[in-house]
Amino acid sequence: QVQLVESGGGLVQAGGSLRLSCTASGSIFSIETMGWYRQAPGKQRDMVGHITSRGTNYADSVKGRFTISRDNAKRTVYLQMTSLKSEDTAVYYCNVGVTILDSGRLRFSDNWGQGTQVTVSS
């Protein structure tokens, strides 16, 4: 089974920075995509950004302020957040799509982290 562990959330003032981390573990054949989503109270869960071997993609609301990176050896994806705004307040969820070996067959597995709270004070 694939497990994701998130860390790095907290309380920051507007204009400040935070870095979130998400580490994947388990019987992973290969990692296909790693990304971040967020959900504010009363709102839907939205994609923040994701990274693959082809590059990165970001939501318009965070473009230029947030940066996704990954360390393949550590199976870890990061979300570096700068110039934070109160509108960025949300629970942030790591999402990792991997290929696993299940009973001798390769299968795609979509996995979610437990979520970490990011609160930006105004």
Side-chain angles (χ1 to χ4, degrees):
Q1 185 178 7
V2 178
Q3 292 182 312
L4 305 180
V5 178
E6 300 180 31
S7 63
L11 174 65
V12 298
Q13 295 186 18
S17 301
L18 276 178
R19 189 175 78 157
L20 307 183
S21 299
C22 174
T23 299
S25 62
S27 299
I28 300 171
F29 183 82
S30 63
I31 297 177
E32 313 305 330
T33 182
M34 307 183 84
W36 293 91
Y37 290 70
R38 67 185 182 185
Q39 187 169 22
K43 305 291 185 179
Q44 67 183 59
R45 186 175 298 187
D46 294 325
M47 189 270 288
V48 175
H50 64 268
I51 184 169
T52 69
S53 61
R54 297 290 186 177
T56 55
N57 190 36
Y58 300 95
D60 289 341
S61 59
V62 306
K63 198 171 299 181
R65 299 188 297 118
F66 292 9
T67 302
I68 293 176
S69 61
R70 67 182 183 183
D71 185 327
N72 291 334
K74 296 181 178 180
R75 291 179 168 178
T76 299
V77 61
Y78 305 94
L79 181 65
Q80 179 66 55
M81 304 182 290
T82 62
S83 301
L84 283 162
K85 307 173 181 179
S86 60
E87 301 96 292
D88 296 318
T89 295
V91 176
Y92 284 69
Y93 297 91
C94 176
N95 176 255
V96 178
V98 303
T99 297
I100 62 172
L101 185 62
D102 182 11
S103 299
R105 303 188 66 177
L106 295 175
R107 299 181 182 275
F108 180 77
S109 176
D110 190 39
N111 305 274
W112 293 90
Q114 79 278 10
T116 184
Q117 177 71 49
V118 172
T119 302
V120 184
S121 63
S122 59

